[in-house]
Amino acid sequence: IINRKNARGTRAREETMKISGIFEKKKALLSFEIFPPKPTADAAAVNGTIAELAALRPDYISVTCSAGGSGNARTCEIAQTVRACGVEPLAHVTCIHAGKESVRGTLDGLKDAGIENVLALRGDRIAGAEESADFAHASDLVRFIRAGWDFDIAAACYPEGHPESPDLPADIRHLKEKVDAGATHLNTQLFFDDEDFFRFRDLLAAAGIAVPVQAGIMPLVKKSHVDRIIALSGAKIPARLSRMISRFYDKPEALAEAGIAYATEQAIDLLSAGVRGVHLYVMNNAAVAKRIAGALAPVLAEINGGGDAGRP
Ligand code: FAD
């Protein structure tokens, strides 16, 4: 990899890098997740956000995609913008509503755009949409990618168990299939109790899953996040977080401060316990990412041997 400082002091990436290579060099990574604008929306706003996020020098930025039709083209476009800003992109690819031809087109498009890293997902089911005859599980997609392309493949995992899974051991057996099929690192679903992550990490070790696992952390900084997360993810809300939410639910500034503080402390606890990285679900909010990345900078510099102390 060749990184040079350009005139504005940010990195101009001339060659891409596989995320597995970053894990080989560093003990703990910091990454952000963003979502593309709607197919009809102007990309200008998100482009500004990407530039701000890139200035925080994350190890990579992942770009989500919808499980239905048009989402993937925008994912590739936004991933290219991330790359142009000097940060490695990780493009999400879903399969639950797609056939092999469509997925092949998506993967060829990503390859042609110079993207090296994909997150292989089944995807969230869209009500009423036809299900794929080719892919039932993310492991089918991982196998398909491994057979035809040279991407680094990441996959999703669930410290509290996937909601459709009968129990955590069954979910971990299926996770092992994804890793055996070729996933080289895992990103967790958001969770708010670090003890759940530590228990999960022990279960993965016992199951022989040895790839790096990054902890997914979502700063709950807005009332709308709180409502959506509680309704959709099913994540357990610890008493301490529940107290903060109830007290500041209708007080935007206080809720944002409390959410940033909780997420930062969660990340520091996880990093202290040797987690291989923190993946922040920043919901395209660069100001929140800046606060948390700033607080984590000395912690990550210490863990990674001072090599990245230049982060803000
Ligand atoms: P899978 O690994 O296929 O698992 C889904 C369920 O099937 C689990 O219960 C698992 O135990 C079970 N299972 C797996 N294999 C088998 C088998 N062989 N037999 C029986 N059961 C099996 N969704 C989007 O639409 N777009 C995104 O961009 C997106 N990004 C995400 C990023 C992260 C980091 C995470 C954690 C989730 C993301 N999601 C996204 C949500 C994800 O698509 C959903 O959680 C989805 O329900 C499951 O996807 P998966 O890839 O984990 O599926």
Side-chain angles (χ1 to χ4, degrees), residues 10-269:
T10 55
R11 289 181 301 173
R13 173 156 281 140
E14 294 177 357
E15 287 181 19
T16 54
M17 188 175 197
K18 293 204 159 91
I19 291 168
S20 53
I22 308 178
F23 276 114
E24 277 168 24
K25 289 186 174 173
K26 286 186 167 183
K27 290 185 179 143
L29 274 55
L30 175 68
S31 54
F32 303 136
E33 180 166 307
I34 59 169
F35 53 86
K38 292 201 164 65
T40 48
D42 186 359
V46 77
N47 289 350
T49 303
I50 293 168
E52 286 179 64
L53 291 174
L56 303 174
R57 298 185 52 205
D59 291 295
Y60 67 89
I61 295 178
S62 84
V63 187
T64 66
C65 73
S66 107
S70 58
N72 288 331
R74 218 80 218 256
T75 299
C76 183
E77 174 197 338
I78 298 300
Q80 283 177 281
T81 307
V82 168
R83 194 168 163 235
C85 287
V87 175
E88 207 54 59
L90 170 65
H92 296 202
V93 178
T94 57
C95 61
I96 188 68
H97 298 301
K100 277 186 183 166
E101 279 318 303
S102 155
V103 173
R104 187 173 285 122
T106 300
L107 293 166
D108 283 342
L110 290 168
K111 182 178 166 241
D112 292 348
I115 308 300
E116 294 245 37
N117 304 283
V118 296
L119 176 64
L121 294 152
R122 187 195 75 182
D124 279 327
R125 283 196 171 87
I126 295 175
E130 196 184 331
E131 294 219 357
S132 174
D134 297 323
F135 305 99
H137 307 292
S139 50
D140 300 327
L141 177 60
V142 174
R143 245 173 254 118
F144 183 69
I145 300 172
R146 203 33 97 225
W149 291 264
D150 183 32
F151 292 112
D152 220 53
I153 307 173
C157 64
Y158 303 82
E160 297 180 61
H162 184 267
E164 292 167 31
S165 196
D167 52 42
L168 194 50
D171 203 28
I172 291 175
R173 277 198 302 280
H174 298 138
L175 181 60
K176 176 101 171 43
E177 278 177 40
K178 276 199 284 203
V179 173
D180 290 346
T184 52
H185 102 256
L186 301 172
N187 278 358
T188 76
Q189 176 62 292
L190 59 90
F191 61 91
F192 298 105
D193 186 343
D194 292 354
E195 295 307 322
D196 287 329
F197 178 86
F198 299 139
R199 206 170 302 123
F200 182 63
R201 192 170 59 169
D202 290 346
L203 290 171
L204 297 193
I209 297 175
V211 296
V213 182
Q214 257 184 280
I217 294 184
M218 167 127 187
L220 286 179
V221 294
K222 278 187 183 173
K223 207 163 129 168
S224 57
H225 297 170
V226 172
D227 296 340
R228 265 206 18 238
I229 295 312
I230 292 172
L232 292 181
S233 79
K236 193 171 85 197
I237 307 286
R240 201 159 64 86
L241 180 58
S242 177
R243 273 193 297 277
M244 289 182 184
I245 293 172
S246 327
R247 178 65 185 82
F248 303 122
Y249 182 72
D250 276 319
K251 307 286 174 208
E253 276 183 39
L255 181 63
E257 283 304 314
I260 289 169
Y262 192 91
T264 305
E265 201 185 304
Q266 229 196 315
I268 292 174
D269 181 38

